[in-house]
Amino acid sequence: MSFLKTTTVAVALTAGLLLSAVAQAHPKLLSSTPAEGSDAAAPSKIELHFSENLTTQFSGAKLIMTDMPGMPNSPMGVKAAVAAGGDPKTMVITPAAPLTTGTYKVEWRAVSSDTHPITGNFSFKVK
Ligand SMILES: [Cu+2]
């Protein structure tokens, strides 16, 4: 009886350790250029810096123009290429044409070594 009890505790402890290791492997967006909420001249590219190395074939992003002058709340997809950056924790979005004045939203999907997709978004303005 006491042997069984010990085994149960050991299994529970192992499961707890595995869960915390998995949570640490989830990529978090640490910073971006342009930064969330910024209002600046049109960037030629948008860089996203994550906390983990990304699995490029499952990671990606969408660029959406959410507001333009005279047309608020009219979301429109923006043609852009998404690629791995200079290091494995960076994703780079390159718009096909220069971004015009308006508000943009980046919807990202980041997958790291544990294969769980993590999603998030941020917005910035172009003057
Ligand atoms: Cu996970």
Side-chain angles (χ1 to χ4, degrees):
M1 271 320 213
S2 78
F3 170 75
L4 258 183
K5 223 175 189 175
T6 309
T7 307
T8 309
V9 168
V11 167
L13 275 176
T14 309
L17 286 174
L18 282 174
L19 278 177
S20 66
V22 163
Q24 280 164 12
H26 287 172
K28 275 199 277 283
L29 181 66
L30 298 178
S31 66
S32 65
T33 324
E36 157 125 60
S38 64
D39 187 357
S44 58
K45 59 185 179 176
I46 301 154
E47 288 195 349
L48 284 70
H49 302 283
F50 290 91
S51 60
E52 305 290 327
N53 289 354
L54 302 176
T55 304
T56 49
Q57 63 264 48
F58 301 120
S59 301
K62 269 195 293 193
L63 180 61
I64 300 156
M65 189 181 202
T66 52
D67 281 312
M68 61 195 85
M71 282 182 78
N73 299 312
S74 49
M76 190 180 81
V78 177
K79 211 175 170 194
V82 183
D87 69 82
K89 296 181 180 177
T90 301
M91 192 189 291
V92 179
I93 305 169
T94 308
L99 298 180
T100 55
T101 302
T103 305
Y104 293 84
K105 180 156 92 168
V106 174
E107 290 185 346
W108 56 262
R109 172 190 165 96
V111 177
S112 189
S113 52
D114 85 344
T115 74
H116 295 156
I118 307 300
T119 58
N121 67 77
F122 66 93
S123 294
F124 62 92
K125 286 182 180 177
V126 169
K127 281 184 178 166

